[in-house]
Amino acid sequence: MRQDLPVFCDWLKLRFRVDTMPERYERYVSCHTPDEKLWERLSWVSVTDLHHIGAISGMEEATDMRKSDATVIQAKYNPETGFLTYDGNLGRFGRGDNVWGQGVFASARHFLNRALAADRFVIMSPIELRRVDLTCNLTFENASDAYAFLSWAGGVKMGRAKPDRYQTGVTWVTENWSAKVYDKIFDLKRHKLVDLAETINTEVGYLLRLELTLRTDELARLNVAMLDDWQNEDQKMNVIFTEKFKPLMRGGAVVDELVEEMPTRLSNAVEAWRNGRNFVAAVQDGRMSRATYYRLRKEVLAFGIDISQPADVTRLNIQPREVPFQFVDAPSWYWNSMRRAA
């Protein structure tokens, strides 16, 4: 396994004090008594990259970005404490997508430099991190290999966290951190980025995404709860990321190459036979016609398996293969396309 994984930042939640409340964040709900104002709750205000890019350039909104490309960040100002909080996909800020990105410190500074220019406030305290998402991409030769890996990952524990499978991925959730691996190609298509998904699939491989979410207590435990803690971040991101995902990086996802070579109809029948299904009994009970049974037996015999006999796990014709994968950096054409869109 490579030691310098191409880990980058996705989601960030930042908190710090400011010298004055930005005018457009003055949206909180309050209630009054005869003598004083009591703060009932504070509401989030949506901020988009179009606003900040437009404010810097003197336009109402950026003309070189589509609205569908805008990254929505939520902002909240607390007038009692003077804290301003940003929460969102800062790793995608000013970009059309987040398939690859930058580190924690670089992503935060890129966003804050634009926010400071747009809203003209001064940061009056060290910048705290309340959530950090680290991510990395795995590439497979094809979708079958990728989903074999997902199937295997669905049986792997991470520390005390048990896997929870869903259709296109697996998650592990604890009180202080969570992790997941999922189909990034499917995710891109779901977000209407079909051309990008197909280009990546053709030129890079079938992409799965590993994501690690670190919440406040976990950040404190790891001594990375302040933005300045991430200034020399490449090694730090790698150490944290590889430690959490170690169970998935040891190698695994062994699949039966013989079954993979079969048409889906036959492989499903063979797997059912291995799991104990008796096809002879199915014919006798009228659950399968004799013609269907004899045709299926003949087709499966060509692969050296006789479904007329009970499956014997000690004598099964299994050809194991470990699914290969690679951690993949962004190709040069990806960054060139990002520069054109920014």
Side-chain angles (χ1 to χ4, degrees), residues 31-38:
C31 63
H32 298 260
T33 69
D35 302 317
E36 60 180 338
K37 178 182 287 188
L38 301 176

Side-chain angles (χ1 to χ4, degrees), residues 169-219:
V170 184
T171 62
W172 297 261
V173 179
T174 74
E175 185 178 354
N176 297 328
W177 62 268
S178 58
K180 64 180 176 178
V181 54
Y182 64 94
D183 183 342
K184 188 61 179 176
I185 297 295
F186 175 86
D187 188 62
L188 289 172
K189 291 180 178 179
R190 182 169 62 89
H191 287 93
K192 314 300 183 185
L193 295 170
V194 176
D195 290 344
L196 177 60
E198 292 179 349
T199 299
I200 290 174
N201 192 13
T202 300
E203 300 190 17
V204 179
Y206 204 91
L207 227 59
L208 295 186
R209 167 70 64 87
L210 292 176
E211 284 189 7
L212 172 65
T213 296
L214 304 171
R215 287 180 274 277
T216 307
D217 289 346
E218 187 71 3
L219 291 166

Side-chain angles (χ1 to χ4, degrees), residues 50-298:
L50 292 176
H51 168 87
H52 289 299
I53 294 171
I56 293 168
S57 62
M59 300 180 292
E60 290 186 3
E61 63 179 41
T63 58
D64 57 352
M65 287 187 68
R66 297 173 302 168
K67 287 195 174 185
S68 60
D69 289 338
T71 309
V72 177
I73 312 294
Q74 288 190 306
K76 181 190 289 184
Y77 177 77
N78 188 327
E80 291 186 305
T81 63
F83 272 112
L84 181 59
T85 302
Y86 287 113
D87 186 16
N89 196 331
L90 271 64
R92 190 197 144 178
F93 189 78
R95 299 154 50 90
D97 63 77
N98 67 332
V99 182
W100 284 278
Q102 299 176 299
V104 174
F105 191 82
S107 296
R109 294 313 316 183
H110 171 71
F111 170 78
L112 288 174
N113 287 341
R114 297 195 177 194
L116 288 166
D119 293 319
R120 308 190 189 286
F121 57 80
V122 177
I123 297 176
M124 303 294 290
S125 69
I127 299 171
E128 304 172 23
L129 298 179
R130 316 293 286 180
R131 171 183 166 181
V132 172
D133 283 14
L134 301 178
T135 189
C136 191
N137 293 316
L138 306 179
T139 183
F140 296 79
E141 186 175 341
N142 51 51
S144 293
D145 279 2
Y147 274 82
F149 184 88
L150 286 177
S151 178
W152 168 77
V156 176
K157 288 180 64 176
M158 286 196 189
R160 296 182 179 179
K162 295 181 180 180
D164 183 14
R165 304 185 191 191
Y166 60 101
Q167 185 176 7
T168 58
V170 184
T171 62
W172 297 261
V173 179
T174 74
E175 185 178 354
N176 297 328
W177 62 268
S178 58
K180 64 180 176 178
V181 54
Y182 64 94
D183 183 342
K184 188 61 179 176
I185 297 295
F186 175 86
D187 188 62
L188 289 172
K189 291 180 178 179
R190 182 169 62 89
H191 287 93
K192 314 300 183 185
L193 295 170
V194 176
D195 290 344
L196 177 60
E198 292 179 349
T199 299
I200 290 174
N201 192 13
T202 300
E203 300 190 17
V204 179
Y206 204 91
L207 227 59
L208 295 186
R209 167 70 64 87
L210 292 176
E211 284 189 7
L212 172 65
T213 296
L214 304 171
R215 287 180 274 277
T216 307
D217 289 346
E218 187 71 3
L219 291 166
R221 187 185 72 80
L222 295 170
N223 296 314
V224 289
M226 310 300 290
L227 182 60
D228 285 346
D229 295 332
W230 296 84
Q231 288 194 63
N232 302 312
E233 62 187 9
D234 288 346
Q235 183 178 4
K236 192 179 297 291
M237 288 194 300
N238 267 266
V239 169
I240 294 172
F241 194 85
T242 55
E243 180 61 29
K244 278 289 189 283
F245 280 109
K246 188 182 296 182
L248 294 189
M249 295 181 181
R250 294 172 180 154
V254 175
V255 298
D256 186 350
E257 191 168 25
L258 176 64
V259 171
E260 280 193 317
E261 293 174 357
M262 296 179 179
T264 302
R265 176 176 58 85
L266 298 186
S267 65
N268 288 342
V270 169
E271 291 191 356
W273 173 76
R274 286 177 176 174
N275 289 330
R277 176 168 294 176
N278 190 314
F279 286 95
V280 175
V283 173
Q284 293 172 340
D285 291 341
R287 289 178 288 124
M288 176 182 282
S289 71
R290 289 186 178 273
T292 299
Y293 165 70
Y294 284 118
R295 183 172 61 252
L296 180 63
R297 179 171 181 256
K298 180 180 179 180

